[in-house]
Amino acid sequence: MSALSALPLLSHLPQVTVAHLAQHAQVTAYAKREVVLHKGAAGQCLNFLLDGRLQGLDFTADAREVGLYFVQPGDFFGEVALVDNQPQPEYVTALMRSQVISIGKELIRPVLFAVPQLAEALCLRLSQRLRGVSEHRRILGLATPVQRVCALLVQMEKQGRIPQVPTHQELAIMVNLTRESVSRVFQLLQGRSIVERDGNDLLVLTPAQLTAWAEGAEVAVAT
Amino acid sequence: MSALSALPLLSHLPQVTVAHLAQHAQVTAYAKREVVLHKGAAGQCLNFLLDGRLQGLDFTADAREVGLYFVQPGDFFGEVALVDNQPQPEYVTALMRSQVISIGKELIRPVLFAVPQLAEALCLRLSQRLRGVSEHRRILGLATPVQRVCALLVQMEKQGRIPQVPTHQELAIMVNLTRESVSRVFQLLQGRSIVERDGNDLLVLTPAQLTAWAEGAEVAVAT
């Protein structure tokens, strides 16, 4: 009950509704690297991440992993299959030990569309994910590793900072590069004082320079 | 009024609401190749195509056009910017003479989220578009022209038929190829009796073969 009422999406619901949902919600623990949602599975639930960290991912035609998006605590996921009654479009796996709470489709689906704030929040999430995928498609079409990594960092940067920046390996699978290529780009970026580590975050010291590299402006100098 | 009430999305609304929307709706005619929505513009309206045909498109980093989706009569478009109050994410242009009816954001946005059937239809559209972009990203990552064209046709095929099949030029800009490459793939497909023209439609005679080519199975034989 208290776990559900703390979720941003459900904060607009009357307490009695949350209590009812809580009675039928299921909490599951996942180990690191465990699969939370399988691609192609029927979307039976709307899921919320209580704690931990998840990643949506898929595989290329030649079987390489492509990271698609991250799920942070409080976020919901699995909403696309829930909405359109089609199979789950991608894998979701645990990047660390994670706890997930799931509410059955037959219970949550009517509530989602009947409460305007929930419908709006769901549309907002779908729109954001749509923009994310579109941007991702654009990034995958960029020519050089420098451009791809910089474009990805530009996408993640908010007010000069990337909170909880993914590992080089995680970034690599998002932009279809090797871990080594990503590390080389980071050496360049740190050498030029364009980015700098700050604990788990990455500070972007000169966002304009990062954007210029993403656009290919100084690739000749950078490589 | 009659134009609005014929639109699938608005068919769930009471007639009095449709009449009110109709009073404030604006009809605009577009010539072939005219831009209907500009990328980066503020999303002021929800738009519906009354007649004609539109295409959502964007440009790659090296300024080549990429076709994203088609808009058919009765469809709505411009919904992403309307939902998230961010700039329009891509261009929408007229592929032929087209008529568009637009309803102002302040009028339509509350209705969209307040009526469950509309909220569901909007979520469904966003989910479909999300799946389309994800699939498109996957197709762009395929190695050969044969694979890309076949994968695109697989995506468009419904029950052995692709209604109103796009031109080779239109298909080419969707999968980042030249018109000539697409025509060569069509010669192969028609030579093997995998597809066949039927007026404005394309018949897919052997869908399994088309899928096999999309997956690269017989590319060595095909090229």
Side-chain angles (χ1 to χ4, degrees):
Chain A
M1 168 65 194
S2 64
L4 277 190
S5 55
L7 296 168
L9 181 70
L10 305 184
S11 63
H12 301 287
L13 292 177
Q15 237 182 331
V16 58
T17 309
V18 176
H20 180 67
L21 294 176
Q23 279 175 20
H24 299 84
Q26 195 179 336
V27 176
T28 314
Y30 292 92
K32 184 174 175 175
R33 278 190 272 277
E34 206 174 339
V35 178
V36 179
L37 293 182
H38 282 269
K39 180 175 178 174
Q44 304 289 7
C45 291
L46 185 64
N47 311 285
F48 298 85
L49 180 61
L50 293 179
D51 58 76
R53 192 147 176 267
L54 311 177
Q55 185 173 30
L57 52 85
D58 206 348
F59 293 88
T60 61
D62 50 352
R64 278 171 302 169
E65 234 181 32
V66 183
L68 303 178
Y69 56 84
F70 295 102
V71 182
Q72 309 291 354
D75 281 356
F76 57 91
F77 61 100
E79 73 281 3
V80 173
L82 188 93
V83 163
D84 69 6
N85 293 308
Q86 299 291 310
Q88 168 65 22
E90 71 267 322
Y91 294 92
V92 177
T93 65
L95 292 174
M96 54 192 286
R97 259 155 69 87
S98 299
Q99 270 213 322
V100 170
I101 191 163
S102 307
I103 305 174
K105 181 186 202 163
E106 69 295 342
L107 208 62
I108 192 70
R109 210 173 179 280
V111 177
L112 279 177
F113 299 127
V115 181
Q117 293 98 328
L118 265 68
E120 184 169 354
L122 179 58
C123 286
L124 206 56
R125 156 57 63 90
L126 290 167
S127 295
Q128 284 168 344
R129 200 155 279 175
L130 186 51
R131 285 186 191 268
V133 180
S134 304
E135 174 64 9
H136 196 190
R137 179 188 51 199
R138 196 186 66 78
I139 290 174
L140 286 176
L142 292 174
T144 70
V146 169
Q147 280 184 283
R148 284 196 220 162
V149 173
C150 291
L152 185 63
L153 296 179
V154 166
Q155 192 190 6
M156 293 178 161
E157 183 253 341
K158 287 200 174 70
Q159 299 175 323
R161 181 178 288 268
I162 299 172
Q164 292 201 281
V165 63
T167 64
H168 292 186
Q169 178 59 33
E170 287 167 11
L171 292 170
I173 66 170
M174 294 188 78
V175 288
N176 211 356
L177 294 172
T178 62
R179 210 250 326 132
E180 291 72 18
S181 295
V182 171
S183 295
R184 274 196 294 276
V185 176
F186 266 82
Q187 279 167 17
L188 284 169
L189 288 169
Q190 285 164 338
R192 301 291 188 93
S193 298
I194 296 173
V195 303
E196 185 182 288
R197 270 267 169 197
D198 179 25
N200 290 324
D201 296 3
L202 190 75
L203 298 181
V204 180
L205 304 173
T206 54
Q209 193 58 47
L210 192 67
T211 302
W213 280 21
E215 290 169 355
E218 299 216 12
V219 174
V221 181
T223 49
Chain B
M1 169 64 194
S2 65
L4 278 191
S5 54
L7 296 167
L9 182 69
L10 304 185
S11 63
H12 303 286
L13 291 177
Q15 237 183 330
V16 57
T17 309
V18 177
H20 179 66
L21 294 176
Q23 278 174 20
H24 298 85
Q26 196 180 334
V27 176
T28 314
Y30 293 91
K32 184 174 175 175
R33 276 190 272 277
E34 206 174 338
V35 178
V36 179
L37 293 181
H38 283 269
K39 180 177 178 173
Q44 304 290 7
C45 291
L46 186 64
N47 311 285
F48 298 86
L49 181 61
L50 293 179
D51 59 75
R53 192 148 176 267
L54 311 178
Q55 185 173 29
L57 53 85
D58 205 348
F59 292 88
T60 62
D62 51 350
R64 280 171 301 170
E65 234 180 31
V66 183
L68 304 179
Y69 56 84
F70 295 102
V71 182
Q72 309 290 354
D75 281 355
F76 58 92
F77 60 100
E79 73 281 3
V80 173
L82 187 93
V83 163
D84 70 4
N85 292 308
Q86 299 292 309
Q88 168 64 22
E90 72 268 322
Y91 294 90
V92 177
T93 65
L95 292 174
M96 55 191 287
R97 258 155 70 87
S98 299
Q99 269 211 325
V100 171
I101 190 163
S102 307
I103 305 174
K105 179 187 204 161
E106 69 295 339
L107 209 61
I108 191 71
R109 208 173 181 280
V111 177
L112 279 177
F113 299 126
V115 181
Q117 294 96 329
L118 266 68
E120 185 170 352
L122 179 58
C123 286
L124 207 56
R125 158 55 63 87
L126 290 167
S127 293
Q128 285 168 343
R129 199 156 280 175
L130 186 51
R131 284 187 192 268
V133 179
S134 303
E135 174 63 10
H136 194 191
R137 178 188 52 197
R138 196 185 67 79
I139 291 173
L140 286 176
L142 293 173
T144 70
V146 170
Q147 281 184 281
R148 283 195 221 165
V149 172
C150 291
L152 185 63
L153 296 179
V154 166
Q155 193 190 8
M156 292 177 161
E157 183 253 344
K158 286 200 175 71
Q159 300 174 323
R161 181 179 288 270
I162 299 171
Q164 291 202 285
V165 63
T167 64
H168 292 188
Q169 176 61 33
E170 287 167 10
L171 292 170
I173 66 168
M174 293 188 79
V175 287
N176 211 357
L177 293 171
T178 61
R179 210 250 324 132
E180 290 73 17
S181 295
V182 172
S183 295
R184 273 195 296 274
V185 176
F186 265 81
Q187 279 167 17
L188 284 169
L189 288 168
Q190 284 163 339
R192 301 290 189 94
S193 298
I194 297 173
V195 303
E196 186 182 290
R197 270 266 170 199
D198 179 27
N200 290 325
D201 296 1
L202 190 74
L203 298 181
V204 180
L205 305 172
T206 53
Q209 193 57 47
L210 191 66
T211 303
W213 280 21
E215 289 169 356
E218 299 218 14
V219 174
V221 182
T223 48

